[in-house]
């Protein structure tokens, strides 16, 4: 269970370290109306954890991720960065995490600044590996 204790911090550090550079041409004109601010919200379930442990992990992840956001991006750019972050987390958990009974589901929701969900992805982490839904 020691691995579970540091899971929220570790996931947040992984998201923070991802490169957030744009590959587009600065000369392209972008409609300011299409730009928005985005953030990630997390839901956690399963893993053989009791509700108190799940609530703690979920709360810590959401608190840590509340300081991280992407500003003035198009929807496509935000989805690109979101997918990249989720795939990086899947890679990090590709060998699984010991201490879970069953599958731990961590659902990441990409949301606009007004709370509208743009995309969701779920990491399914077992003792043997990790998949994305």
């Amino acid at each position: 269970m020691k691995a579970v204790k540091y899971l929220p911090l570790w996931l947040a550090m992984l998201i923070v370290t991802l490169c957030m550079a744009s590959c587009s041409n600065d000369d392209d004109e972008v409609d300011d109306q299409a730009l928005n601010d985005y953030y990630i919200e997390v839901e956690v379930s399963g893993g053989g954890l009791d509700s108190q442990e799940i609530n703690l992990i979920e709360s810590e992840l959401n608190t840590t991720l509340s300081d991280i956001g992407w500003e003035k991006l198009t929807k496509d750019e935000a989805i690109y960065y979101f997918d990249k972050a989720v795939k990086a987390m899947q890679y990090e958990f590709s060998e699984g995490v010991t201490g879970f009974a069953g599958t731990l589901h961590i659902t990441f929701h990409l949301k606009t600044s007004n709370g509208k969900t743009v995309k969701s992805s779920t990491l399914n982490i077992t003792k043997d590996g990790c998949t994305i839904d």
Side-chain angles (χ1 to χ4, degrees), residues 27-89:
D27 295 334
D28 293 341
E29 289 188 27
V30 177
D31 181 10
D32 287 341
Q33 299 292 336
L35 300 180
N36 208 336
D37 296 342
Y38 296 86
Y39 67 97
I40 296 175
E41 192 172 88
V42 178
E43 290 180 44
V44 180
S45 63
L49 304 175
D50 63 33
S51 61
Q52 185 177 8
E53 291 170 317
I54 288 174
N55 289 337
L56 178 64
I57 292 171
E58 190 173 292
S59 175
E60 287 181 8
L61 278 171
N62 282 319
T63 299
T64 304
L65 292 173
S66 68
D67 294 335
I68 302 166
W70 297 303
E71 298 178 351
K72 296 183 181 176
L73 297 177
T74 65
K75 181 179 175 183
D76 290 340
E77 289 172 329
I79 290 172
Y80 171 79
Y81 291 131
F82 177 78
D83 288 343
K84 190 173 178 178
V86 172
K87 285 201 181 289
M89 286 181 268

